């Protein structure tokens, strides 16, 4: 078997935009995410829009005339 073929699987920290930190293991040392299970609308029951990359604006721009 070849040596040093696989990346190291070490402890990692996931940091959410809401401030929550989660300890796990990964090949990367840290992650920064926008939503986690403590602030995601599906898990909290709150109704709010999660707009990723301007999808709502893109939809509204595409269908603003009502012709499509």
């Amino acid at each position: 078997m070849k040596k040093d073929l696989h990346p190291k699987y070490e402890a990692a920290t996931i940091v959410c935009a809401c401030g929550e930190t989660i300890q796990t293991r990964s090949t990367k040392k840290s992650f920064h995410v926008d939503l986690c299970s403590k602030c995601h609308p599906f898990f909290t029951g709150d109704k709010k829009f999660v707009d990723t990359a301007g999808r709502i604006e893109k939809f509204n721009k595409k269908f603003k005339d009502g012709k499509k």
Side-chain angles (χ1 to χ4, degrees):
M1 301 204 57
K2 293 182 180 180
K3 284 190 170 192
D4 301 326
L5 181 65
H6 298 285
K8 296 188 190 254
Y9 189 65
E10 301 174 326
T13 304
I14 300 172
V15 180
C16 180
C18 70
E20 179 70 19
T21 59
I22 302 167
Q23 299 296 323
T24 187
R25 295 179 54 88
S26 177
T27 56
K28 290 187 175 184
K29 298 240 183 220
S30 66
F31 297 91
H32 293 280
V33 294
D34 294 331
L35 296 170
C36 68
S37 61
K38 290 207 173 190
C39 63
H40 193 280
F42 180 79
F43 297 110
T44 62
D46 295 336
K47 290 186 178 182
K48 65 178 181 179
F49 287 109
V50 179
D51 186 19
T52 307
R55 291 182 184 171
I56 295 171
E57 288 82 14
K58 185 177 177 182
F59 177 84
N60 288 336
K61 181 180 174 186
K62 185 175 182 181
F63 293 101
K64 72 177 178 180
D65 295 332
K67 293 181 180 179
K68 278 196 170 185

